[in-house]
Amino acid sequence: MTENTAAVTYASAGVDVEAGDRAVELMKDAIRATHSSAVVGGVGGFAGLYDASQLVKYRRPYLATSTDGVGTKVAIAQALDVHDTIGYDLVGMVVDDIVVCGAKPLFMTDYIATGKVVPERIADIVRGIAGACSVAGTALVGGETAEHPGLLAANEYDVAGAATGVVEADELLGPERVREGDVLIGMASSGIHSNGYSLVRKVINVAGWGLERQVDELGRTLGEELLEPTRVYTADCLDLAQAFPVNGPDGQTGTGIRGFSHVTGGGLAANLARVLPQGLEARVDRSSWQIPAIFSLIGSLGNVPLPDLERTLNLGVGMVAIVDPSVAEAAARRLNDRGVPAWVMGDVVAATEPDTDSPDYVQGAKGVNGGAVRLFGQYA
């Protein structure tokens, strides 16, 4: 050992254990607020515990699981030093994938990696996660905050999460339920949500626009618009599935909800194609809704071709319900009554001649060789 060498400690290496402990103290109340009597042990254990005895009431329970992150939207939060909304984006990306098959998300865990633990910042992130879990009716049962000095800058972080849900086997929603003649109901997004920010950030960088810029079309600053949290649809979709069950009195497919499509990376057509069976085609009428101002702005500011916008961003539609035509109007009305703008945006027909050269046509997507989607008309 070299003489007079200063002792190297974990703190001198850049990891502040005490800061991590302070962050936990700041977030504990928000986490506890998501807990029901099914959560065992509270906050701070090595593992989150959930009482699964409620599953005995299911005839044949299927467990559903999903994991995701937020992507480069975190760069917007870091640039603005606003961290209490990014948790909604994380939760929305995870639980709204689970509800697509009709499953109720039971519990969730999160993971935050950062260059330096700032207790208040970490607590803000987790408060957002907990708030969104409360909206979804999902317990936040655990998580991990990791300090990675030298790998991430002091103000940098990334977030990820995973959730587990349950659905009755004979109430599982998906392509097998979809029928010719079914109706598509669009549910409005709250904005860009959490996909396509690499394109968005490139556009505003090339245009030389700052996040603090006031934009008349948006009625607020660009940064405020880009940080608008993802709408969490889980409770609304579960309510819809309960109000319009897929099974009739004999247990066979009835006149209810057939399935959902969560519009995330890849845009509307690609995600809708994933929940359609082969032999069927969804026709989506662009004229049934108006593109929100932020999407038109990104398109014009970056001279982004419409097909590229449609393949990257949600363009105002965050979730789609596929329903029996007999309940379409009632289902849309129920969503609107719950505060989710919803409208009939198209229908399902027998597959027509493929048009693989057209940007308006998608058949199969993301590894699923399912049905097709055809977009038509002009946006309102």
Side-chain angles (χ1 to χ4, degrees), residues 58-59 101-103 167-174 177 245-247:
Y58 286 79
R59 298 179 301 279
C101 66
V167 60
E168 194 72 75
D170 62 7
E171 296 174 4
L172 185 70
L173 304 179
R177 302 281 191 185
V246 70
N247 286 332

Side-chain angles (χ1 to χ4, degrees), residues 133-305:
C133 281
S134 293
V135 170
T138 304
L140 182 59
V141 299
E144 173 71 10
T145 299
E147 201 165 23
H148 291 166
L151 184 62
L152 295 168
N155 67 328
E156 290 181 337
Y157 62 82
D158 197 11
V159 295
T164 298
V166 63
V167 60
E168 194 72 75
D170 62 7
E171 296 174 4
L172 185 70
L173 304 179
E176 297 78 12
R177 302 281 191 185
V178 180
R179 301 287 184 269
E180 182 180 352
D182 284 347
V183 173
L184 308 175
I185 297 177
M187 301 181 216
S189 66
S190 57
I192 298 178
H193 285 183
S194 299
N195 300 102
Y197 274 81
S198 294
L199 171 64
V200 171
R201 290 168 55 242
K202 178 69 172 180
V203 166
I204 64 175
N205 182 59
V206 170
W209 282 30
L211 296 176
E212 72 289 346
R213 184 184 183 118
Q214 185 70 29
V215 183
D216 292 341
E217 303 99 291
L218 305 176
R220 53 181 169 176
T221 67
L222 178 62
E224 288 170 335
E225 178 70 28
L226 296 184
L227 207 55
E228 179 68 32
T230 298
R231 173 172 270 143
V232 179
Y233 299 94
T234 290
D236 304 300
C237 291
L238 291 174
D239 173 80
L240 207 63
Q242 184 176 21
F244 306 103
V246 70
N247 286 332
D250 59 355
Q252 300 302 309
T253 298
T255 56
I257 305 301
R258 311 290 199 197
F260 297 101
S261 174
H262 188 198
V263 183
T264 55
L268 172 60
N271 283 289
L272 186 54
R274 298 168 70 185
V275 296
L276 297 174
Q278 291 185 23
L280 292 183
E281 177 181 304
R283 300 186 302 183
V284 177
D285 183 0
R286 293 186 180 101
S287 70
S288 65
W289 81 97
Q290 185 173 3
I291 295 179
I294 183 59
F295 299 105
S296 300
L297 178 65
I298 294 300
S300 60
L301 195 61
N303 196 27
V304 184

